[in-house]
Amino acid sequence: MAVARTDILDAIASMTVLELSQLIKEMEDKFGVSAAAAAVAVAAPAGAAAPAAEEKTEFTVLRTAAGDNKVNVIKVVRAVTGLGLKEAKDLVDGAPKAVKEGISKADAEALLKQILEAGGKAELK
């Protein structure tokens, strides 16, 4: 029984961000691929002449611990990720976890500053 692509797209469109993230992870596990690796593989031929000591352009803000004021940290996480209350709480409680991945250095530093000011503990990768 074949499923139409439009049905698949409609099902994905109705998912929350957290559900979609989990679906992507399950697809990566099942098929032995990585969505991030595919993006790098596509970009590699265009930048083949780039120097080896290229400056990093994409950063990840990683929550390392719950911190002193968990409620304020949850508020910051909700504001920057668009997650619901439960999903944001789970992300904060499940430290260490990435809050945002593949963002610019300026955005990553601003997010890191917000989390630290809210009483959380995080680092830039």
Side-chain angles (χ1 to χ4, degrees):
M1 179 164 114
V3 178
R5 287 184 179 183
T6 56
D7 294 337
I8 295 170
L9 291 174
D10 290 340
I12 291 172
S14 67
M15 292 180 170
T16 65
V17 175
L18 184 61
E19 291 170 335
L20 184 58
S21 174
Q22 290 170 342
L23 174 66
I24 291 170
K25 179 157 178 48
E26 290 170 6
M27 290 173 63
E28 289 174 345
D29 292 343
K30 179 172 179 124
F31 298 112
V33 296
S34 173
V40 171
V42 171
E54 185 176 314
E55 185 177 336
K56 188 173 177 179
T57 58
E58 291 187 347
F59 295 85
T60 298
V61 176
L62 182 70
R63 291 258 315 111
T64 57
D68 299 330
N69 196 342
K70 190 165 70 170
V71 174
N72 285 342
V73 176
I74 292 171
K75 288 179 183 179
V76 169
V77 169
R78 281 189 71 198
V80 298
T81 61
L83 294 174
L85 180 60
K86 182 179 180 342
E87 290 87 2
K89 182 183 180 303
D90 291 344
L91 192 145
V92 170
D93 288 341
K97 278 200 173 177
V99 177
K100 277 202 150 181
E101 298 176 315
I103 58 177
S104 71
K105 185 175 183 177
D107 291 341
E109 288 174 346
L111 175 56
L112 180 64
K113 182 179 176 186
Q114 287 178 331
I115 291 172
L116 295 176
E117 286 176 352
K121 294 184 173 128
E123 64 183 35
L124 202 57
K125 292 242 179 194

